[in-house]
Amino acid sequence: MPGKLDRCNGWNDLSDWYDRKQGDEGDLWHRTLIDPGLLGVLGECSGKRVLDLGCGNGYLSRRLARQGADVTAVDASPRMIRNARRHGSAGVKYLRADAARLKGVPGGRFDVVFANMSLMDMADAEGAVREAARVLKKGGRLVASICHPCFDTMSNSGWVAEKAMGEPRAVYRKVRGYRELFHEKVPWNTGDGTRAYTVSYHRPLNWYARVLRSKGMAITALEEPEPTREFVDMEQQDGDLDGPGAQEVPLHLIIEAVKL
Ligand SMILES: C[S@@+](CC[C@H](N)C(=O)[O-])C[C@H]1O[C@@H](n2cnc3c(N)ncnc32)[C@H](O)[C@@H]1O
């Protein structure tokens, strides 16, 4: 386990920056790459009871609530929850809690639990899946977007650009250490010259399948979000290989599992 970090693995200290970054629509990566895929799998949530696990500043919770969902948004970071509340509730109930210990949340209550880019930041993701299964109704769904466990293994993965006559030719993804369970400090550049760190956990794909199965959940969909034109163009403008690369190799995975 990492050393002395808060319960949300460093996110509390980054809450204000993250709130500005996500705003009301989500940052470029969320808005143009991850969220369209996640929302597509979530489908129509109007009239449904929805739980957002690791909600961050809560922009997606508020969006679903505006569309008529009854949303509870949970985050372990007190500051994330404080900032989320500052945006106005828009019908969302906020709760500061560890996703692996949802005290006071009754079992069998929700139609949908979603976790947008948060499971791999949770030290006890198995506990979070267990709690998601507990609070879901029978037939309810857990939908989670994560860094693609096969292709984005943090510093164990990266792009390799092939050039011919000095011109870009092909982009490859290199991966090592896939089978290992490990955690790593993730650096964030907060724009004011300081570097801050969170901790993320790599778990191979079969870890997710086994954990879901062991909690009585069956995988019903796997989606690999394709980048929008806007994402590719913006990344290319910055000279970043994520744009052209992600057109060929997915960086994210969306898992839907149903409570049996
Ligand atoms: C990458 S952020 C994603 C936030 C939000 N879902 C989004 O997409 O903008 C990960 C979030 O997970 C939260 N988190 C980390 N560990 C947690 C835990 N054990 N229980 C609940 N939330 C946790 C962090 O505080 C942070 O807000």
Side-chain angles (χ1 to χ4, degrees), residues 66-84:
R66 283 196 298 274
Q67 293 167 4
D70 176 359
V71 187
T72 302
V74 169
D75 203 285
S77 154
R79 220 148 139 173
M80 285 284 189
I81 291 293
R82 187 201 65 186
N83 288 340

Side-chain angles (χ1 to χ4, degrees), residues 8 11 18 22 30 54-56 75-76 80 97-99 116-117 121:
C8 43
W11 282 104
Y18 196 71
Q22 296 298 75
H30 277 71
C55 65
D75 203 285
M80 285 284 189
D98 184 335
N116 197 13
M117 300 305 289
D121 286 356

Side-chain angles (χ1 to χ4, degrees), residues 45-68:
C45 286
S46 167
K48 296 197 173 141
R49 272 206 193 123
V50 175
L51 178 67
D52 180 353
L53 276 189
C55 65
N57 86 340
Y59 75 93
L60 214 51
S61 283
R62 289 185 293 281
R63 177 165 168 176
L64 294 177
R66 283 196 298 274
Q67 293 167 4

Side-chain angles (χ1 to χ4, degrees), residues 6-12 15 18 22 26-27 30 34-35 38 52-60 74-78 80 97-102 114-125 128 145 188 198-200:
D6 53 32
R7 279 188 142 196
C8 43
N9 281 327
W11 282 104
N12 199 52
S15 303
Y18 196 71
Q22 296 298 75
D27 64 5
H30 277 71
I34 304 162
D35 294 355
L38 180 90
D52 180 353
L53 276 189
C55 65
N57 86 340
Y59 75 93
L60 214 51
V74 169
D75 203 285
S77 154
M80 285 284 189
D98 184 335
R101 275 170 282 277
L102 297 175
F114 76 93
N116 197 13
M117 300 305 289
S118 54
L119 272 189
M120 71 276 164
D121 286 356
M122 293 179 188
D124 185 7
S145 65
W188 297 94
T198 57
V199 171
S200 278

